[in-house]
Amino acid sequence: MKKIASLIILIIFISCASKAQNSSKEENNYKIVKTASEWKKILSPLQYNVLREAGTERAFTSPLNKNYKKGVYVCAACKTELYQSTYKYDSGSGWPSFDRAIKSNVELDIDYKIGYARTELKCNTCGGHLGHAFDDGPEETTGERHCINGAALEFIPTK
């Protein structure tokens, strides 16, 4: 009986340590791949924390949160175009919010970091963490809210 109980505990332990919850692109299948030291040379400490370690900037601290100029928002790490300014709206969350991304430039992934599944948004070119998607966006458009860390973005105004 003790052997069976030990075997069951071992199976549970192994299944909890599996990689089933990891990102589908964790194997670095992105077009742009750099080492941690290479990313640290080109990103600020906050950008590195957000983009490479899936950190979150404090709410209401990004100057991009209240930016409503015409242009495009690009990945701060690789400069891939991610969001058009026409998709941006004020969600009141304290982070730049968009109701949609530029198709195929933003990857949706599953994030279990806080104990339950959330839709994580990543740059599809370099795998940088952008933020999360929620279903509480504007009903008159997509109903989506892409809650994005401003540190993950750079804004390029329309000329």
Side-chain angles (χ1 to χ4, degrees):
M1 187 68 170
K2 288 182 182 181
K3 287 183 181 184
I4 293 174
S6 297
L7 182 60
I8 290 172
I9 291 172
L10 180 63
I11 290 170
I12 291 171
F13 178 75
I14 290 171
S15 68
C16 290
S18 77
K19 295 187 180 262
Q21 295 180 352
N22 288 345
S23 166
S24 59
K25 289 206 173 183
E26 198 164 346
E27 300 85 31
N28 294 329
N29 291 330
Y30 295 103
K31 293 174 191 167
I32 296 176
V33 178
K34 297 181 184 295
T35 65
S37 61
E38 289 172 322
W39 284 121
K40 286 179 180 181
K41 287 179 185 174
I42 63 172
L43 299 172
S44 73
L46 177 59
Q47 288 173 322
Y48 183 83
N49 176 257
V50 169
L51 286 159
R52 307 317 310 167
E53 298 177 324
T56 302
E57 69 188 1
R58 286 184 336 191
F60 301 101
T61 59
S62 172
L64 296 178
N65 186 38
K66 295 293 184 177
N67 177 38
Y68 293 103
K69 298 174 186 169
K70 290 185 179 183
V72 66
Y73 294 85
V74 301
C75 175
C78 70
K79 312 309 180 227
T80 296
E81 293 186 356
L82 303 172
Y83 294 97
Q84 296 288 340
S85 61
T86 54
Y87 304 156
K88 190 170 189 297
Y89 71 99
D90 185 1
S91 68
S93 67
W95 289 279
S97 297
F98 304 85
D99 68 358
R100 71 196 89 167
I102 295 173
K103 294 222 185 270
S104 75
N105 289 359
V106 174
E107 172 189 357
L108 279 64
D109 204 353
I110 303 298
D111 167 359
Y112 294 93
K113 292 179 186 86
I114 61 173
Y116 60 90
R118 295 186 297 171
T119 302
E120 180 180 11
L121 301 167
K122 294 180 178 180
C123 173
N124 205 26
T125 302
C126 70
H129 170 79
L130 304 172
H132 292 89
F134 302 95
D135 292 326
D136 59 0
E139 291 179 13
E140 62 276 5
T141 61
T142 63
E144 295 179 20
R145 174 171 55 102
H146 288 207
C147 187
I148 307 299
N149 290 283
L153 303 173
E154 288 181 9
F155 179 71
I156 301 173
T158 301
K159 295 181 181 179

